[in-house]
Amino acid sequence: MSIYYSPLRYPGGKNCIFSFVSKIFYENRLIGANYAEPYAGGAGLALRLLFEGYVEHIYINDLDRSIYAFWKSILNRPDEFCQWIKDVDVNIENWNKYKGIQGKGVNDFELGKSTFFLNRTNISGVIKGGVIGGQRQKGKYKIDARFNKKSLINRIQKIAEVKNRITVSNLDGLSFISNLDKKQEEIFIYLDPPYYQKGADLYMNFYSKEDHKKLSKHVHKMKKKWMVSYDNQDFILNLYAEQNKVVYKLSQAASNRIGDEILIFSNEVEYEESISALKSPVIM
Ligand SMILES: C[S@@+](CC[C@H](N)C(=O)[O-])C[C@H]1O[C@@H](n2cnc3c(N)ncnc32)[C@H](O)[C@@H]1O
């Protein structure tokens, strides 16, 4: 059964590897450590680890200002945000209004609402994408098909209750991990950068080949324990040639494909007992 703690829908969201990652926490005696995602997106996995008692504090970072604005708004002004959800009409007029706000110089609270509205009303939650049911609402599913106000408000209230255990930021992934690596506390870092092949149409801030290279150089120097996930591509395998890796199957609703995904680990991370929780895992 899927359990959703995140109010955002996210293409390629990693909630689905929760049972594997929670086992990794046991296998590596990391229960109660802190946890960070430099490319957090919908942060479904981070929230689940927090709510189910695996980690003490989560650091969620995303360079996309729209995504950051959402997290910041629900942590700082949850009551106003939930009141707005209660009141807002989920219709095409508002969709056009909130679409028009993206990329404009509005404040974080307005941008956060716009991000949430589009994420819940667009096909697969892709902010740049089209509305569910089309502009003329002739489709089988309508604009409000994924906008269950009660359940979304509950999720936001639950997150706001633990806001002291959540830190959000809007940094480039590399600056974020440099800052984390300087901290004394134990932090497990899970990096889920934009895919090598699919990134451009799903998210903002498309990563170039050079960016993937730079990231791998940075990651190799990190002192904390880490794990990286990617689509299974030779270019990426070569960047992490010396590291331990597992390939497994991940079903990705946003791209309609069942693809091979790779997980790459820092040398100190044990994973042999945990991989049975992945679909068709193969150690590389
Ligand atoms: C594969 S998605 C992460 C999905 C996430 N693991 C989840 O379960 O929802 C990659 C994320 O990286 C963000 N991103 C892209 N370039 C970035 C950068 N240079 N620094 C930090 N975040 C970045 C994108 O906005 C996107 O949200």
Side-chain angles (χ1 to χ4, degrees):
M1 189 182 81
S2 290
I3 298 175
Y4 296 108
Y5 293 105
S6 175
L8 295 181
R9 303 158 67 216
Y10 228 78
K14 290 304 184 321
N15 198 12
C16 55
I17 56 167
F18 168 77
S19 42
F20 169 71
V21 177
S22 57
K23 284 190 167 57
I24 285 279
F25 271 78
Y26 276 114
E27 192 171 344
N28 291 275
R29 294 167 299 284
L30 282 167
I31 307 277
N34 294 339
Y35 173 86
E37 288 199 24
Y39 306 87
L45 181 55
L47 288 170
R48 191 158 173 195
L49 288 167
L50 184 71
F51 282 126
E52 300 195 7
Y54 290 86
V55 300
E56 186 53 35
H57 193 96
I58 57 174
Y59 295 89
I60 52 181
N61 177 73
D62 204 289
L63 183 60
D64 186 338
R65 192 182 150 230
S66 299
I67 299 294
Y68 164 74
F70 166 75
W71 291 117
K72 185 180 161 196
S73 302
I74 65 158
L75 289 177
N76 292 351
R77 294 163 68 178
D79 295 341
E80 273 170 89
F81 203 96
C82 289
Q83 189 59 49
W84 165 76
I85 295 181
K86 244 186 218 163
D87 295 341
V88 73
D89 289 326
V90 183
N91 57 25
I92 291 291
E93 195 185 336
N94 276 330
W95 188 87
N96 286 323
K97 171 180 153 190
Y98 288 116
K99 183 84 179 164
I101 285 176
Q102 289 290 315
K104 302 279 158 40
V106 296
N107 66 41
D108 282 342
F109 193 67
E110 288 309 308
L111 185 61
K113 290 193 295 188
S114 157
T115 301
F116 178 78
F117 191 92
L118 296 173
N119 175 270
R120 299 304 318 183
T121 55
N122 278 0
I123 297 162
S124 299
V126 179
I127 303 290
K128 294 191 266 182
V131 60
I132 301 171
Q135 277 285 332
R136 294 168 58 209
Q137 290 293 287
K138 296 273 186 224
K140 180 173 168 208
Y141 294 101
K142 309 292 181 217
I143 186 168
D144 60 354
R146 297 280 178 270
F147 214 109
N148 180 332
K149 291 188 174 191
K150 193 163 169 241
S151 146
L152 293 167
I153 288 172
N154 278 341
R155 286 184 216 174
I156 291 171
Q157 286 171 337
K158 213 166 143 51
I159 293 168
E161 280 166 18
V162 292
K163 70 174 185 189
N164 295 337
R165 297 168 64 197
I166 303 176
T167 305
V168 291
S169 52
N170 184 212
L171 299 171
D172 175 65
L174 298 189
S175 317
F176 176 74
I177 56 179
S178 300
N179 293 347
L180 281 182
D181 221 27
K182 290 184 204 129
K183 291 187 189 285
Q184 294 298 319
E185 66 211 69
E186 178 141 52
I187 309 178
F188 182 79
I189 305 177
Y190 167 43
L191 304 100
D192 185 24
Y195 291 126
Y196 177 66
Q197 265 207 333
K198 253 282 182 192
D201 30 335
L202 293 181
Y203 320 106
M204 295 176 86
N205 315 312
F206 179 51
Y207 245 42
S208 68
K209 258 188 172 179
E210 221 29 62
D211 293 320
H212 290 295
K213 238 191 227 172
K214 251 198 224 159
L215 174 63
S216 107
K217 277 202 188 130
H218 232 80
V219 164
H220 279 93
K221 284 192 242 148
M222 246 158 38
K223 293 193 286 290
K224 305 272 187 227
K225 293 189 173 109
W226 54 264
M227 177 176 90
V228 182
S229 57
Y230 262 117
D231 40 346
N232 184 10
Q233 300 288 328
D234 287 343
F235 177 79
I236 301 296
L237 293 177
N238 286 333
L239 290 184
Y240 295 89
E242 305 294 317
Q243 301 303 135
N244 295 325
K245 296 182 243 353
V246 174
V247 59
Y248 72 102
K249 300 265 181 213
L250 171 73
S251 104
Q252 292 171 310
S255 56
N256 287 325
R257 71 181 181 122
I258 305 277
D260 278 339
E261 176 123 344
I262 35 173
L263 292 171
I264 309 158
F265 304 93
S266 64
N267 290 335
E268 315 73 40
V269 175
E270 308 282 341
Y271 54 90
E272 284 82 358
E273 286 173 22
S274 308
I275 58 170
S276 59
L278 294 170
K279 198 170 169 206
S280 318
V282 179
I283 295 180
M284 301 182 85

